[in-house]
Every structure is written in C-alpha cells, then in structure tokens.
C-alpha cells in the first residue's frame, strides 16, 4: 500500500552532511581531552543531538565548558557552509513523490539553522521543502522519542500509521517505530544490520526508494 506521506530525516538522507560534522566534532573533542576520530563519532553519536554528544563526551572524560554546544555548532556551521552536497538520487525520489501526489516533510534532530545552511545551498530543493522542515526544536523530546515524526505527520495532515519514514540511524528508526510508522533505512556503506535490528527495512541506493514506496 502506498503511504499517505513520507517523512525524511535530513542529515545523511537528504544532505551528505555527516562526514563534515563528524570530522569537526572529532577534532573538537580531541582538543578537549577526548581523543576521537570521525568513525568513533559516527559509531557513538549518530542520529543523536549535540546535547547528547556533550553528555556522553563528558562521561568519557572530555573537559567541556557550559557553552560547548553553541561553540561546536559554530564550527560545524562554518564547515557545512563551505559546501554540503545532496545525497545522490534524492532529487529523483522527491520528483517521484510529486508525480504521485504524495506529500513529504523533513524531521531532523538538528536545529533549524543547520538545515537552513545545508538545504539552503540547494535553492530548488529548499524551495520545494519550504514550510515542511521540522526540527527537534519544535517538539518536547528529540528522537528516539516519537514526538518529531508525529508532529510532522500532524502538520501535513497525514495519519501516522500510514506514513513511511526514511532514516539512516538506529536512533531515527526507533523514533519511527515509537510513532507507529514503517521505516526504510538508508544504508549506503554497510548491510544495514543496525537499522534492521530496530525494525527498519534497509536499502542501499536512493534509486531503489520509489519502488519500495510502491510508486
């Protein structure tokens, strides 16, 4: 059955922002007493919030001041502004959804400013998403709570049980499951086992997605 709506995560699903973000966070934590490489950041923190990164890093011995989240976001924003490509094939997915008259929205654990920087580099795509970009800043609890995806579904007038979520992290897949939504897990670099373990159906290439959505 075709979905009533499709809800996309942003980082790693629409924009290829995660390698840059992971690199900046790794360098920053290393400077603050917690040696870390981008792979370590990805495995520990993927899909979470920067506040969660701060809490976890402190428990591992990082010396982070009270203003760390704002400071690291400033570094991340500068790096992303230098150039953040789209995920290959995502424009074709949105074209197929438009052709089928299926609404879609974005729900991200990142702040609105981050999405304005990354999506804003791609004006045509940013324009077609305008008014349908939602952040953990809009709800009480971030992913893996259900709040963000339930909020997005409500805002676009879709029954949650008939929505499909596109995610690349176990955190996001758990949020979809908590919201009672089917999840397709984008796993371009591995077999998607971590996503499958929390109920997502993994896929490797965006050009597979229209068929998986029943289009």
């Amino acid at each position: 059955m075709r979905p009533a709506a499709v809800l996309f995560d942003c980082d790693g699903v629409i924009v290829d922002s995660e390698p840059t973000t992971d690199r900046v966070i790794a360098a920053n934590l290393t400077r603050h007493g917690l040696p870390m490489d981008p792979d370590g950041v990805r495995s520990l923190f993927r899909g979470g919030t920067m506040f969660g990164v701060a809490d976890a890093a402190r428990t591992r011995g990082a010396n982070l001041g009270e203003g760390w989240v704002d400071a690291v976001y400033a570094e991340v924003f500068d790096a992303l502004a230098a150039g953040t490509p789209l995920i290959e094939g995502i424009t074709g997915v949105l074209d197929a959804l438009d052709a089928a008259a299926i609404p879609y929205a974005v729900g991200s654990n990142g702040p609105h400013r981050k999405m304005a920087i990354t999506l804003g580099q791609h004006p045509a795509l940013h324009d077609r998403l305008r008014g349908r970009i939602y952040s953990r800043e809009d709800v009480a609890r971030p992913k893996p709570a259900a709040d963000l995806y339930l909020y997005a579904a409500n805002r676009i007038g879709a029954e949650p049980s008939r929505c499909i979520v596109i995610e690349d992290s176990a955190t996001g897949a758990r949020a979809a499951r908590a919201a009672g939504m089917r999840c397709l897990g984008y796993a371009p670099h591995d077999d998607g086992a971590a996503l499958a373990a929390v109920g997502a159906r993994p896929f490797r290439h965006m050009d597979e997605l229209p068929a998986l959505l029943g289009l």
Side-chain angles (χ1 to χ4, degrees):
M1 184 174 64
R2 296 200 317 177
V6 179
L7 309 178
F8 293 88
D9 180 38
C10 187
D11 297 300
V13 172
I14 293 180
V15 290
D16 193 14
S17 52
E18 291 180 335
T20 297
T21 301
D22 293 345
R23 172 178 54 79
V24 171
I25 294 172
N28 183 289
L29 292 179
T30 299
R31 294 197 309 270
H32 286 87
L34 181 62
M36 186 74 64
D37 62 22
D39 287 343
V41 170
R42 187 175 307 112
S43 64
L44 286 172
F45 308 127
R46 188 172 194 173
T49 68
M50 204 66 82
F51 294 99
V53 172
D55 290 342
R58 288 186 179 109
T59 66
R60 289 170 169 80
N63 182 21
L64 307 182
E66 288 299 314
W68 182 81
V69 169
D70 288 339
V72 75
Y73 261 135
E75 293 181 29
V76 168
F77 293 161
D78 284 347
L80 293 173
T84 304
L86 295 176
I87 293 293
E88 184 177 358
I90 190 62
T91 301
V93 172
L94 300 185
D95 288 344
L97 290 170
D98 284 338
I102 294 174
Y104 48 87
V106 175
S108 173
N109 262 357
H112 279 291
R113 185 179 172 199
K114 183 179 182 183
M115 289 185 280
I117 290 169
T118 57
L119 297 172
Q121 296 174 39
H122 308 280
L125 182 138
H126 197 207
D127 284 347
R128 74 198 297 182
L129 293 172
R130 196 173 303 280
R132 293 177 286 171
I133 300 172
Y134 307 111
S135 162
R136 51 95 175 156
E137 295 172 321
D138 299 319
V139 294
R141 300 177 299 170
K143 306 172 194 176
D147 302 33
L148 185 53
Y149 283 132
L150 291 175
Y151 179 80
N154 177 263
R155 290 296 298 256
I156 61 174
E159 171 62 37
S161 64
R162 295 188 58 220
C163 292
I164 293 180
V165 170
I166 314 301
E167 270 287 353
D168 71 326
S169 74
T171 298
R174 287 196 295 270
R177 184 172 63 183
M181 300 176 183
R182 180 179 164 212
C183 183
L184 300 176
Y186 180 52
H189 305 301
D190 58 40
D191 62 2
L195 290 161
V198 290
R201 193 282 197 198
F203 68 100
R204 294 204 64 169
H205 304 286
M206 281 295 169
D207 58 10
E208 301 173 53
L209 192 48
L212 292 172
L213 293 171
L215 306 183

